[in-house]
Amino acid sequence: PFFMPMNDKKTVVLLHGHGVDASIWDDIYDDLGLDGPVLKPDFARLTSHTTIEAYAEELDACLRAEQTEPVVLVGHSMGGYIALAFAEKYPKRVLGLILYHSTATADTEERREQRQKTIDELNAEGTAPFIRKQLPKMVATTYPPEKTQTLVARYLNLPNDALISGLRAIAGRPERTNVLQTAGFPILLVLGLDDQLIPHDKTAQLADLSDNISVATIENAGHLSMVEQPQKSVQIIREFVRER
């Protein structure tokens, strides 16, 4: 046909990570929206979810309410864990999956202990010290400090209880490399070359699990390329969505 009917437009779902909220996508949301519907659910204030599977059920409820399926999932960090859990349970509802500065492996024992320590600190000190410590780790070391401080200010009032719930869910997540191995849809790993939280070289090895998995590396970006390199991020996501 010479035209694309409206309902052929693919819905892209942007799932934010831990320590930020859906506004983290603001720099790329409008540009992606030129191609078709884009959803950015906000899970940053949920306090009753303590497993990744519970967040995936929350996503299920959001998508049913919007009646837009199947979808391309773009999961940033913790959002990637949620996307994997959703894709494992509802594979037919997924057209494609972008693990965006995320991974399919579980926490090591040492990492779990660190997360428990962070939970204890959040309980004792509240949100602000956590955000002040965490946000600078989420960008490349070359990212301008004043821009980092703007981000810090944006997230200082995220609810303490919600951050703790998210950390519990992250710490308890199972390994989901099997989802990558067996997926009937294409998968893209978007990685920041300077990511301090999800090491680029180690995570890129997940592409060896299947011919279905490709890797896109963003230079001069850490864990937040949607903020650090928005044009490059839009280009990569757009190309993946158009090929679906």
Side-chain angles (χ1 to χ4, degrees), residues 2-201:
F2 296 108
F3 63 93
M4 288 284 282
M6 281 305 285
N7 60 0
D8 273 8
K9 286 190 183 291
K10 305 173 193 89
T11 299
V12 176
V13 183
L14 304 173
L15 300 167
H16 66 84
H18 185 264
V20 297
D21 64 19
S23 72
I24 200 70
W25 301 108
D26 285 359
D27 292 344
I28 67 172
Y29 180 76
D30 288 345
D31 283 344
L32 288 175
L34 297 173
D35 297 352
V38 182
L39 301 175
K40 47 169 190 167
D42 199 315
F43 298 154
R45 289 159 186 83
L46 300 174
T47 54
S48 58
H49 297 52
T50 52
T51 65
I52 291 296
E53 294 75 19
Y55 285 95
E57 289 310 304
E58 189 75 33
L59 173 59
D60 169 52
C62 290
L63 295 182
R64 288 186 192 280
E66 294 288 342
Q67 298 181 327
T68 49
E69 303 214 351
V71 294
V72 176
L73 296 174
V74 183
H76 168 239
S77 200
M78 177 185 176
Y81 311 149
I82 297 168
L84 281 167
F86 181 91
E88 183 175 58
K89 189 164 182 186
Y90 306 109
K92 295 203 165 30
R93 293 164 64 186
V94 181
L95 276 174
L97 169 64
I98 299 181
L99 283 186
Y100 190 92
H101 309 296
S102 190
T103 184
T105 56
D107 270 0
T108 60
E109 201 49 54
E110 184 189 5
R111 196 81 185 84
R112 276 196 198 106
E113 283 168 19
Q114 278 178 329
R115 297 213 201 264
Q116 186 52 53
K117 199 168 145 231
T118 306
I119 288 171
D120 295 343
E121 286 169 5
L122 272 163
N123 269 321
E125 301 164 9
T127 297
F130 168 77
I131 296 291
R132 287 198 181 99
K133 195 161 76 175
Q134 186 69 4
L135 262 289
K137 293 182 197 165
M138 292 172 86
V139 290
T141 50
T142 50
Y143 192 65
E146 65 278 8
K147 288 188 170 181
T148 306
Q149 288 316 308
T150 304
L151 279 175
V152 167
R154 192 195 296 180
Y155 298 118
L156 280 177
N157 56 4
L158 285 177
N160 195 16
D161 294 356
L163 289 167
I164 289 169
S165 297
L167 281 170
R168 288 214 167 99
I170 291 168
R173 75 187 189 279
E175 176 161 332
R176 284 202 161 89
T177 45
N178 60 308
V179 180
L180 299 188
Q181 275 173 313
T182 59
F185 44 80
I187 294 158
L188 175 65
L189 309 173
V190 175
L191 304 174
L193 195 56
D194 306 317
D195 196 325
Q196 302 178 67
L197 300 179
I198 301 276
H200 172 274
D201 295 356

